[in-house]
Amino acid sequence: MIIVLKQNPSQEKVEQLSAALRDLGLTLHFSQGVSTSLIGLVGDTSRINIDMIEANEIVESVKRVSEPYKAANRKFHPQDTVVNVNGCKIGEGFLSVIAGPCSVESEEQIIEVAKAVKASGAKFLRGGAFKPRTSPYAFQGLHGEGIKLLLKAKKEVHMPIVTELMSLNHLDLFSDVDVIQVGARNMQNFEMLKELGHSNKPILLKRGLANTIEEFLMSAEYIMAGGNENVILCERGIRTFEPSTRNTLDLSAVPMLKHLSHLPVVIDPSHATGIPWMVKPLSKAAISAGADALMIEVHNNPACALCDGAQSLTPEAFDDVMNAVKAQAKFENKII
Ligand code: PEP
Ligand code: MN
């Protein structure tokens, strides 16, 4: 971090600021130019309050030269993190597929979809019991009953389950859930992230609709700072000016996230595009870009789905996508 000082600062104030910075365990390097003086800070600057330094009367500006996240940062953890859920791995050269309906609707529905996606090669079963809907009049999910049905399906097909937590008030219902999803709309629900930091469950953290990669990694940092290092990052499309797809899939986020962080990365082409026929080409592209997993919505009867039917694949279409995914994974030397 570099602090640019205002012209001709009082020596006394410089000494006061320097002492406060040294108290934070930092080493200071001074550089005196013709008209500008700089202080370079060396050490862990992740806990520094930049606003407070900027508010100091002798400070002109503050520039970060290193990332504000530490636990999620590849620089401090060069080897890839592998999330292992009962032997189903995300990372370490595996290409895992998480598939299932947008929302759990009935026992028949979730079990039929679970069997179909398993037969096609999916490793994880997804399904929402609590749904974040734009309209309060839209189907909100089956709540506790939905979790029970997911657990029944899990028993039936022996696949780990992934489902979204929308409020900490519901956390008790998630005790047998394998992976807790934090949806795009809750990516910056900091109280929720902090609490999940104390959980021992893997967290699938979705990128917010309009959040930068740094903000995304700072949200992962919230969870990791509490001691939970099992975080899976999920890019699910961001809001742009382009209306032909539901969102814009930021595929460049995959190599960038993998460059900046050691956490595994999942691509969700279903929510990114909202279009079932785009799932295949973008799944292949995601694997090429280095994604560790895919999350795909599948419904046994998309036309009657209570949520996101228009973007859901039928089990047959999913099987076709999986054939392409398997071929692409093989080409990229990934184990599927
Ligand atoms: C979902 O996975 O069903 C979902 C609501 O996703 P997102 O938070 O990415 O919109
Ligand atoms: Mn959905």
Side-chain angles (χ1 to χ4, degrees), residues 6 16 25 30 43 112 121 151 168-169 196 207-208 213 248 264 271 279 281 284 295 313-314 320-321 323 329 336:
K6 286 184 181 156
Q16 273 173 11
F30 292 88
E112 192 178 326
L151 292 170
L168 284 174
N169 295 335
L196 293 177
R207 181 179 180 182
I213 283 178
T248 296
H271 290 90
V279 170
K284 290 163 68 181
M295 183 184 244
L313 298 177
T314 60
D320 176 54
V321 167
N323 287 333
I336 180 162

Side-chain angles (χ1 to χ4, degrees), residues 15-271:
E15 269 155 30
Q16 273 173 11
L17 175 62
S18 306
L21 293 166
R22 283 195 189 99
D23 281 350
L24 296 172
L26 299 164
T27 307
L28 312 191
H29 291 275
F30 292 88
S31 158
Q32 182 65 59
V34 181
S35 58
T36 311
S37 350
L38 309 175
I39 309 177
L41 305 184
V42 180
D44 179 8
T45 56
S46 55
R47 286 170 199 265
I48 283 193
N49 183 341
I50 291 192
D51 292 342
M52 212 183 234
I53 300 177
E54 269 174 342
N56 189 301
E57 62 185 290
I58 59 162
V59 171
E60 178 69 42
S61 62
V62 182
K63 269 202 167 53
R64 266 199 184 279
V65 288
S66 61
E67 301 79 18
Y69 45 89
K70 196 167 181 212
N73 198 326
R74 191 178 278 285
K75 280 185 192 154
F76 304 106
H77 189 297
Q79 69 281 23
D80 286 340
T81 282
V82 184
V83 175
N84 188 335
V85 188
N86 315 329
C88 295
K89 290 182 181 172
I90 299 190
E92 208 171 54
F94 285 85
L95 191 278
S96 305
V97 178
I98 305 162
C102 181
S103 53
V104 181
E105 297 169 8
S106 68
E107 182 169 339
E108 301 70 46
Q109 175 242 20
I110 192 65
I111 290 185
E112 192 178 326
V113 177
K115 285 182 176 165
V117 297
K118 180 168 184 175
S120 297
K123 288 282 182 300
F124 294 78
L125 175 67
R126 65 148 285 149
F130 293 90
K131 294 306 307 174
R133 305 303 300 274
T134 302
S135 166
Y137 309 118
F139 176 61
Q140 304 285 309
L142 296 180
H143 296 185
E145 184 56 26
I147 305 242
K148 276 192 201 149
L149 295 179
L150 270 173
L151 292 170
K152 256 194 180 164
K154 172 182 169 174
K155 240 186 175 167
E156 185 91 17
V157 295
H158 306 289
M159 290 167 94
I161 55 172
V162 182
T163 193
E164 179 168 349
L165 175 73
M166 278 179 54
S167 161
L168 284 174
N169 295 335
H170 306 142
L171 193 54
D172 287 349
L173 296 170
F174 284 64
S175 54
D176 294 324
V177 165
D178 299 289
V179 178
I180 297 180
Q181 174 172 319
V182 174
R185 290 153 193 84
N186 271 313
M187 189 202 89
Q188 288 192 314
N189 182 338
F190 300 120
E191 288 304 316
M192 181 185 280
L193 301 177
K194 277 192 254 179
E195 190 57 38
L196 293 177
H198 301 126
S199 154
N200 57 0
K201 291 199 185 287
I203 309 298
L204 187 137
L205 177 66
K206 289 190 134 190
R207 181 179 180 182
L209 279 69
N211 285 109
T212 64
I213 283 178
E214 186 167 292
E215 287 164 346
F216 189 18
L217 290 171
M218 288 306 282
S219 290
E221 189 79 10
Y222 259 94
I223 302 170
M224 299 176 85
N228 185 353
E229 304 208 324
N230 283 317
V231 179
I232 305 157
L233 303 169
C234 179
E235 158 62 36
R236 44 76 73 207
I238 49 173
R239 281 269 169 96
T240 69
F241 49 81
E242 176 50 57
S244 64
T245 46
R246 183 176 179 182
N247 293 289
T248 296
L249 178 58
D250 180 9
L251 263 188
S252 63
V254 180
M256 185 53 87
L257 287 169
K258 299 210 63 101
H259 173 75
L260 296 171
S261 175
H262 50 89
L263 297 172
V265 177
V266 182
I267 284 289
D268 172 350
S270 300
H271 290 90

Side-chain angles (χ1 to χ4, degrees), residues 319-330:
D319 196 59
D320 176 54
V321 167
M322 283 301 287
N323 287 333
V325 161
K326 285 172 196 164
Q328 193 68 34
K330 197 169 167 207

